[in-house]
Amino acid sequence: MGSLRNPIGPLPSSIYWRRRVVLLSVVAVLALLVTWLVVSVGGGGKGDGASGSGGHSPAPSITPGDSPSGPAISEHPGGRDESGEDGESGTGGSGGEGEGSEDGDAGDGDSGSGSGTGGGGGARGGETTGEQVPAGSTLPNCPADAVEMSLRTTKNTYEPDQKPKLVLKAENTSKADCKIDLGPKTAVLTITETGEDKPLWSSAHCPVTGSLLLKLPAQGSVTHTVTWDRRASADKCATPPAGNAGPGTYLAEVKAPVATAKISFVLAKD
């Protein structure tokens, strides 16, 4: 015990006391450091156990539900009604007042027209040139002596897979505008096979509409095209004979109050 209180050695006792103070200080610092580490590690462990990394709660698990049994989309894309795909019964606009093109197949377009020519489904109206006018128009009717009417086909001979197209043209030889009706009931178009008495098809048998009033400008003309799909028609929309017209020569004729015209064409063999 005396050696602890009074250090014995070759050096002065003050040096030994300084050494003891330094050693005790180091021990105390190490003890404090160990205590701090234990406290820090213990507190961090609790935080990680409760809230996960960074103190946040762990993400909840997601259990997928039942997959739907039906299709994800129940309608056709585009919002279009699929029942009107053919687009062949639309109404055509009345073009300018000028005359239609006279080249071979210029009138072959299948765009609809305002005439709605029916005839038991055997034909439909095509392109119409000219300005359509309402039924109550004050424009005077064209007099018979001022109208020249002609009828032509876009081909002389039609192959089995081709539909004849008949172009009706009305010209005004006067110097005053007037209106003319080229509708299927007024300007009646018929198709008759050569050698037969009764027409195979008539625009007056089952028309969709009765009139097609067009402005016929002075010294000008209008045209109206009808496409025949080779089927027969029956009066008063009765059921026509089945099948298509066979090969042979046919006569197309138009009769209107102001004028008449006719043309022949051929349906070729297979």
Side-chain angles (χ1 to χ4, degrees):
M1 292 297 292
S3 62
L4 292 174
R5 295 179 179 178
N6 298 308
I8 298 174
L11 299 176
S13 60
S14 60
I15 293 176
Y16 292 108
W17 279 111
R18 290 194 188 102
R19 290 178 178 177
R20 289 178 179 178
V21 170
V22 171
L23 180 60
L24 290 174
S25 299
V26 171
V27 171
V29 170
L30 290 176
L32 291 174
L33 181 61
V34 170
T35 303
W36 178 80
L37 288 175
V38 170
V39 172
S40 298
V41 172
K46 291 180 181 180
D48 292 343
S51 302
S53 176
H56 296 290
S57 300
S61 61
I62 300 176
T63 303
D66 295 335
S67 300
S69 58
I73 301 176
S74 60
E75 296 182 357
H76 294 290
R80 182 171 64 88
D81 185 1
E82 299 296 331
S83 64
E85 292 179 353
D86 55 3
E88 293 184 351
S89 60
T91 57
S94 56
E97 297 178 2
E99 175 184 334
S101 175
E102 293 293 333
D103 59 325
D105 289 338
D108 285 1
D110 287 346
S111 59
S113 76
S115 70
T117 305
R124 68 174 184 274
E127 181 180 358
T128 298
T129 65
E131 177 186 348
Q132 294 192 34
V133 295
S137 172
T138 58
L139 196 66
N141 294 324
C142 294
D145 59 358
V147 177
E148 291 183 358
M149 191 168 291
S150 62
L151 185 65
R152 68 179 178 88
T153 57
T154 56
K155 296 177 182 293
N156 293 326
T157 301
Y158 291 93
E159 299 301 322
D161 60 343
Q162 296 176 330
K163 298 176 182 179
K165 296 181 186 294
L166 310 172
V167 183
L168 172 61
K169 179 180 179 181
E171 295 183 82
N172 185 357
T173 60
S174 71
K175 296 181 180 180
D177 295 347
C178 57
K179 67 176 182 288
I180 188 171
D181 189 354
L182 297 184
K185 287 185 176 181
T186 304
V188 180
L189 179 63
T190 59
I191 298 175
T192 307
E193 186 175 5
T194 301
E196 298 293 333
D197 296 331
K198 294 182 178 181
L200 179 65
W201 177 85
S202 172
S203 66
H205 278 171
C206 190
V208 176
T209 185
S211 63
L212 174 61
L213 289 175
L214 298 174
K215 177 183 177 181
L216 190 54
Q219 304 294 317
S221 64
V222 294
T223 61
H224 175 57
T225 302
V226 174
T227 301
W228 180 45
D229 64 3
R230 297 172 176 247
R231 289 188 293 169
S233 65
D235 193 18
K236 298 181 180 179
C237 295
T239 302
N244 294 336
T249 302
Y250 290 80
L251 177 67
E253 183 176 15
V254 59
K255 292 183 179 181
V258 293
T260 62
K262 61 180 64 177
I263 189 71
S264 63
F265 62 92
V266 174
L267 298 184
K269 295 181 180 180
D270 293 341

